[in-house]
Structure formats: C-alpha cells, structure tokens
Amino acid sequence: MKTKLKDLTVWITGASSGLGEALTLEFARRGATVVLSGRNSEKLEAVKNKCKNPKKHLVVPFDILDVAQTEIAYSTVIEKTGSVDWLINNAGVSQRSLIMDTAEEVERKLMEIDYFAQTRLTRLVLPEMIAQGGGKIVMVSSVAGLLGTQYRGAYGAAKAAIHMWANSLRAELSDKNISVATIFPGFIQTNVSINALTGDGSVQGTMDEATDQGLTAKAFAKQTVKALACGEEYIIVAGRKEKLATLVNRLSPPKLYKLIRGAKVT
C-alpha cells in the first residue's frame, strides 16, 4: 500500500542543492509538507520558493556538524510543525583522492559529515517519532558504499558505515512501527564531484565525466520518492552500469574487483 505523502511532514537535510533540492521539489509536488535544512538560508529559501505551495513549507538552516545548532534546529522543527513523520538524512560530501594521498584529518571530516552527523540527528528525532506511533528514517548512502573504487576510499567507508548502521537500526526498531530505508545513488547530475574533498581537504572544483553523464537529479527524485512511498527499504537509483556492478558484486566480488582494477575511475 502506498503512503499518502500529502499527510506527511518530511524533514530533508542538504536541501539547498543537488539530491536534496530534487527530493524537496518532488515531495512538495506530491503534497507533503517539507522542512528544508542546510547551512545556507538564502539557497534554502530559493528552493522553497520553487516548491508547489511554497508557504506550506519551512526553512530551518543549521550546520549539521554543530551539536548545539542541531539540537536547536530539531526543537524549532517540532515547535513549528508538531512532528516529523519522515527524516531524510541527505547531507553529505564526497571525495576524490587516492588513499595514500589523503590526510587523516580529511578522512575524519568525511566520517563526521557522512556518518556521525547523520546518526546524531537520527537519535535526536527517534524518541518523539516512536512516541507518536511511527515514522520513517531514510539514509542516503551511495553505490560507493556497496563497491570499493579508486579515489573514494574514505567516502565509500563512511557510506558503507551508514548502510550497516541503518540495517542494525531497522532490526532494533522493528517492533516500534519505525521503518528504515537506505538509498544508494549512482552517478547523478549534481555538483557532488565539484564539491568533493581532495587529499588535503580542498574541494576538487571540477565535474567528473561520469557524474555529468549520470541520471538527472529530477529522475533520481522521482524514482526515490516512488520507492519510499511503496515501502521499499533498499533502493538503488543508478544507471545500468552501476546496477550491473552491484549485481556482479553479489555474485562474484573477485570478478567485480578485477573489472574495477582495469577500469578508468576518476
């Protein structure tokens, strides 16, 4: 049975651009009330104004790495909306550097953003979500969290960690009417590679060819929201090559990594 999205309040982090913006627009198009969060309030307001019925939605800017700001943001959301039905943990940053060239502090930063910030916010939201009788937690992982490839060592590790954490959370909350879904995007046409961290912590600043030729963010959002509304919990949204790679990985990991070693990955 499909969930009636028009009855939901959906909180989306990283909503100012990319996948978060696309998800915001799709949820709003389908009638949900959306809470948009990210660091840049002007960009969030711009996204909100693109939404269907913009006055229906709420902008709550905060830095997801700041514990105090995160707690204040949650209090604001509850005060303004009364409840959070679905939490979409979408905020994150990617990486483009070889492991041997990546400083430890950069790896720690990737883990802080892509893992610890997501688990922190989820733990904050869950008590009230359980008390209200149910809800949905969504983690945006990555195909890179399923397959280890060059230039994404720490990023893939963080995305794999959030995937495994979500699996455990799903098992622990199975009797609380809380569903837990994980999204695994492949190459999607966003600024993810432009904003990716290099080995010294600076941003790459350029678009990867594979990202530029990936699915559109709009197509990603349509597939993702449809799958979530249908209750799917393990959702790969990617092109044919990425989906084939995940299949080969399940059937024969050694064969996949032989292919990866010989592939041009940037």
Side-chain angles (χ1 to χ4, degrees):
M1 182 180 295
K2 288 187 177 181
T3 300
K4 294 181 179 179
L5 297 180
K6 65 181 179 63
D7 298 331
L8 300 180
T9 295
V10 181
W11 190 5
I12 303 176
T13 64
S16 63
S17 64
L19 302 185
E21 176 180 1
L23 288 170
T24 296
L25 297 176
E26 182 63 16
F27 273 112
R29 186 185 71 83
R30 295 182 61 165
T33 298
V34 183
V35 179
L36 300 78
S37 285
R39 290 178 297 175
N40 191 312
S41 58
E42 291 184 1
K43 289 184 178 180
L44 292 170
E45 289 288 350
V47 174
K48 189 186 85 164
N49 289 332
K50 294 180 185 178
C51 290
K52 181 180 179 181
N53 300 323
K55 292 182 179 180
K56 180 180 181 180
H57 312 296
L58 176 66
V59 166
V60 180
F62 73 104
D63 184 347
I64 200 168
L65 292 178
D66 188 302
V67 175
Q69 286 190 35
T70 301
E71 292 173 349
I72 292 170
Y74 174 64
S75 296
T76 301
V77 172
I78 294 300
E79 178 186 347
K80 299 289 187 181
T81 68
S83 65
V84 175
D85 297 302
W86 289 12
L87 171 65
I88 315 292
N89 286 292
N90 169 71
V93 66
S94 191
Q95 172 199 12
R96 295 296 185 274
S97 57
L98 295 171
I99 289 173
M100 291 295 291
D101 297 335
T102 305
E104 182 178 325
E105 57 265 30
V106 176
E107 293 201 332
R108 288 184 180 276
K109 184 174 183 179
L110 285 157
M111 288 299 295
E112 287 289 344
I113 297 171
D114 293 341
Y115 176 77
F116 287 110
Q118 319 304 320
T119 61
R120 180 188 303 119
L121 182 58
T122 301
R123 278 193 298 269
L124 195 60
V125 168
L126 274 173
E128 181 64 29
M129 189 176 280
I130 292 170
Q132 73 192 21
K136 186 189 292 287
I137 300 294
V138 181
M139 296 296 185
V140 178
S141 179
S142 172
V143 168
L146 299 172
L147 316 172
T149 66
Q150 303 92 317
Y151 299 99
R152 295 162 177 80
Y155 173 70
K159 290 299 189 178
I162 206 68
H163 164 38
M164 290 295 105
W165 191 86
N167 284 350
S168 294
L169 186 68
R170 184 182 301 113
E172 291 178 8
L173 299 179
S174 61
D175 62 343
K176 304 294 186 183
N177 199 32
I178 303 292
S179 61
V180 179
T182 306
I183 313 300
F184 301 91
F187 293 117
I188 312 294
Q189 294 174 20
T190 69
N191 288 339
V192 63
S193 62
I194 295 174
N195 297 326
L197 301 183
T198 61
D200 63 1
S202 60
V203 299
Q204 175 173 258
T206 57
M207 175 71 77
D208 293 343
E209 181 180 350
T211 302
D212 191 42
Q213 295 179 356
L215 296 178
T216 66
K218 183 176 182 179
F220 162 84
K222 284 182 176 295
Q223 291 183 44
T224 298
V225 174
K226 180 180 179 180
L228 291 171
C230 290
E232 295 182 33
E233 296 179 332
Y234 186 95
I235 306 164
I236 297 174
V237 185
R240 183 180 61 83
K241 289 183 179 179
E242 298 103 289
K243 287 184 176 179
L244 178 61
T246 63
L247 175 61
V248 174
N249 185 50
R250 290 198 295 271
L251 298 175
S252 176
K255 183 174 183 179
L256 173 69
Y257 285 103
K258 183 177 181 180
L259 294 171
I260 288 175
R261 287 195 296 270
K264 178 186 176 183
V265 180
T266 57

